[in-house]
Amino acid sequence: MSVYAKYLDYPVGAKEAGTAAWSGGQSFCSSALTMQGGSDIAIATLEPGEWTLDGSRRISPATPRACWSLVRSGDDCTFKTPPEIDITFTAPYTATGLTFTFSPSTGQYCSKLRVRWYSGTTLLADTTAAPDDPQWVLTQTVESFDRINVQLLATNHPGHFAKLTQLQIGQLIILDETELSRVHYLTEVDPGMTELSVDEFSLEFNDRHGRDYAPQEHQAIELYVDNTLRAAHYLRTSTREGSHFYTFTAQSVLGRLDDDCLGGLYETVPVTALLTDILGTIEYSVAADFTAATLSGYLPICTRREALQQVALAIGAMVTTQGGYAVRLIPRPYEVATSIPASRIFPGAGVETASRVSRVEVVAHSYTAGDETEELLRAEPVSGDAVMYTWDAPHYGYTITGGTLVDSGANWATITADGEVTLTGKKYVHTTRTLAKANPQALAAERGNVVRVDGATLLTSDNAAAALERLYEFYLLRQTLTEEIVVDGQQAGDRVVSYSNWGRNIDGFVTRMEQDITRNAVTAAITVAGLELPAQTATGYAGQMYAAEEVIF
């Protein structure tokens, strides 16, 4: 079994913040592609040895290229006037290297180049290097630069054009199993859909190449097991414990969703549109079960992770990032994925049995535009541009005196003013309705064990009953199994059947996995929320459903 990690040691934001200017290039070159990457297609040219007659060359460039020199190198492979690239950045960055992709399709590269790093007009470093491959990394740590100048001095063959497909700020570092001393991977999925956890993994490694590191928060790290991407996370913390011994801790993209979602009032909005609003540029996928779903209701200002959890509960989706960068919304499985036999369970497993939940309650919300006007700010001193104010309940129809209403939402507004401001808004009538389902098996002593979900404001009369059913089914799972196993394809969120030490099987959902990954095996301490199979018929009992009286606020 193979285990390795790819550390994408690129300073976060540098690619977007850099502007490249290319001098001495062909008219079909595009400086904008220098860092983004251009096409690498073998073109028929008059370069010595490059017009092969095997049909592999195109006659002319079909798409813009990043960098291709205007003139060819001389008989000694050098340029009289070297072509050069100048990259300026809108903010200072630190990098441990530069990655050059010349022309892998033809095997051409620049055999000599000069790189200078600047901070303003101050020269920070000046390096002349000799690349020896079409894909080559200049390893050098330079801190707080805001400009890079690259001169392409020579080619690897005489009479050739200098060709550069991409210049990346930073480098890709692969940590293999000879360097990784420990890989620990924690994943959690809530089948109840009321919590949204952040997965994380940690790598302990000793860099046998003696490379320098400048770890930066939010850099990407990919974990591979048997050449399959197991996790794609972002650097959170780093510790250096020796000359070349490090510990990196990375978290899933869900850990980067602590910034604000401004929310709003929604009326039959497609779930994909709402997810795009919440997640922005973050990649996500929605299972076919939910692609046609629409949502109504209210989201107050909250974190993007809280907003995502509200959506997941409303449509009945579990959320995971296992296996890649994307946030995936998947249905709770009803079929058993795998069975865990006794031969793959370490001694010491235990089962905790909780008291029965006697009743599950879900509150449905509705918001109707009302006529009552509320004074939200009264003679409030405001000084500044786009100053934000928030309130607890949603409003609409704002009017302002003493300032300018720049923007507004359901429970917020931004104001520009220099003096006292009065702001009013019309209130929404908030109506709630409680749906409940009782457990007929609950004992008299358990009647107080009530689970109530009342803050899910995307639950309405249209979807609250379905959410209640899902929650009721989940909270009937009384047993919590903890055990250590040899992993054979299991992952958090799976429905499994596991053998217990006393001869009974437990059927339930893997809610947590703490995995230790080595070149020999993947072992994990897992938590399963489920029921012993002899008691599983409890899920077949029907409870009562009733609606409480409506309350108007």
Side-chain angles (χ1 to χ4, degrees), residues 22 37-41 65-68 85 98-115 129-138 150-156 161-168:
W22 165 248
S39 61
D40 177 36
I41 300 171
R65 313 299 287 266
C67 300
W68 191 330
I85 305 143
L98 299 175
T99 300
F100 292 85
T101 302
F102 296 105
S103 181
S105 66
T106 61
Q108 295 171 291
Y109 56 90
C110 292
S111 58
K112 187 177 182 181
L113 52 80
R114 181 185 184 187
V115 183
D132 56 5
D133 192 82
Q135 292 183 303
W136 182 80
V137 176
L138 170 61
V150 179
Q151 288 184 326
L152 305 177
L153 303 177
T155 58
N156 62 321
F161 295 102
K163 300 172 183 177
L164 182 63
T165 301
Q166 186 176 24
L167 172 56
Q168 294 172 280

Side-chain angles (χ1 to χ4, degrees), residues 3 23 32-33 86 100 104 197-198 217 245 266 300 331 356 399 420 425 429 435 455 463 469 504 515 528 531 544:
V3 182
S23 60
L33 295 175
D86 204 71
F100 292 85
S197 300
V198 178
E217 192 175 8
F245 193 84
Y266 306 96
R356 294 175 183 84
T399 59
E420 293 186 344
V429 178
L435 305 179
N463 57 15
E469 288 294 330
R504 290 183 175 179
Q515 305 173 59
V528 178
L531 283 173
Q544 281 184 312

Side-chain angles (χ1 to χ4, degrees), residues 142-156:
V142 180
E143 297 185 0
S144 299
F145 59 83
D146 57 18
R147 179 184 163 218
I148 296 175
N149 178 269
V150 179
Q151 288 184 326
L152 305 177
L153 303 177
T155 58
N156 62 321

Side-chain angles (χ1 to χ4, degrees), residues 376-378 380-391 398-408 412-424:
L376 299 168
L377 299 176
R378 175 186 294 178
E380 178 77 15
V382 179
S383 178
D385 295 331
V387 180
M388 176 173 278
Y389 290 86
T390 64
W391 28 88
Y398 299 105
T399 59
I400 189 171
T401 57
T404 302
L405 186 64
V406 178
D407 200 1
S408 63
W412 61 273
T414 52
I415 297 168
T416 294
D418 186 15
E420 293 186 344
V421 170
T422 296
L423 179 71
T424 62

Side-chain angles (χ1 to χ4, degrees), residues 119-308:
S119 174
T121 58
T122 302
L123 179 64
L124 300 177
D126 188 343
T127 299
T128 300
D132 56 5
D133 192 82
Q135 292 183 303
W136 182 80
V137 176
L138 170 61
T139 301
Q140 182 170 352
T141 300
V142 180
E143 297 185 0
S144 299
F145 59 83
D146 57 18
R147 179 184 163 218
I148 296 175
N149 178 269
V150 179
Q151 288 184 326
L152 305 177
L153 303 177
T155 58
N156 62 321
H157 293 295
H160 281 202
F161 295 102
K163 300 172 183 177
L164 182 63
T165 301
Q166 186 176 24
L167 172 56
Q168 294 172 280
I169 312 302
Q171 59 180 315
L172 170 64
I173 296 176
I174 297 180
L175 302 167
D176 62 28
E177 54 196 20
T178 66
E179 298 169 294
L180 295 169
S181 56
R182 185 172 188 237
V183 179
H184 185 75
Y185 181 27
L186 170 64
T187 60
E188 293 182 285
V189 173
D190 177 24
M193 306 162 199
T194 59
E195 296 182 8
L196 201 57
S197 300
V198 178
D199 294 347
E200 67 175 38
F201 67 75
S202 61
L203 307 175
E204 296 178 9
F205 64 94
N206 190 358
D207 189 319
R208 58 188 174 87
H209 300 283
R211 291 168 290 209
D212 286 330
Y213 288 83
Q216 299 171 50
E217 192 175 8
H218 301 323
Q219 287 179 317
I221 305 180
E222 299 173 353
L223 176 63
Y224 290 81
V225 178
D226 284 340
N227 295 317
T228 299
L229 181 61
R230 182 65 66 89
H233 287 187
Y234 297 90
L235 187 63
R236 185 168 60 85
T237 62
S238 63
T239 305
R240 187 172 187 173
E241 294 142 345
S243 179
H244 298 291
F245 193 84
Y246 297 83
T247 299
F248 285 178
T249 300
Q251 62 182 356
S252 71
V253 71
L254 296 180
R256 301 176 65 185
L257 298 179
D258 288 331
D259 51 326
D260 282 345
C261 169
L262 296 180
L265 263 294
Y266 306 96
E267 183 65 35
T268 59
V269 174
V271 67
T272 51
L274 187 49
L275 287 171
T276 298
D277 186 45
I278 293 170
L279 295 175
T281 59
I282 293 174
E283 181 184 358
Y284 72 87
S285 66
V286 179
D289 306 56
F290 313 119
T291 53
T294 60
L295 287 173
S296 300
Y298 165 57
L299 275 180
I301 293 179
C302 58
T303 67
R304 290 199 286 164
R305 186 160 69 247
E306 291 170 336
L308 177 61

Side-chain angles (χ1 to χ4, degrees), residues 38 57 112 117 156 227 284 341 357 366 371 377 465 494 511 514:
R57 297 293 195 266
K112 187 177 182 181
W117 290 262
N156 62 321
N227 295 317
Y284 72 87
V357 169
S366 67
D371 295 327
L377 299 176
D494 281 353
T511 60
E514 287 192 69

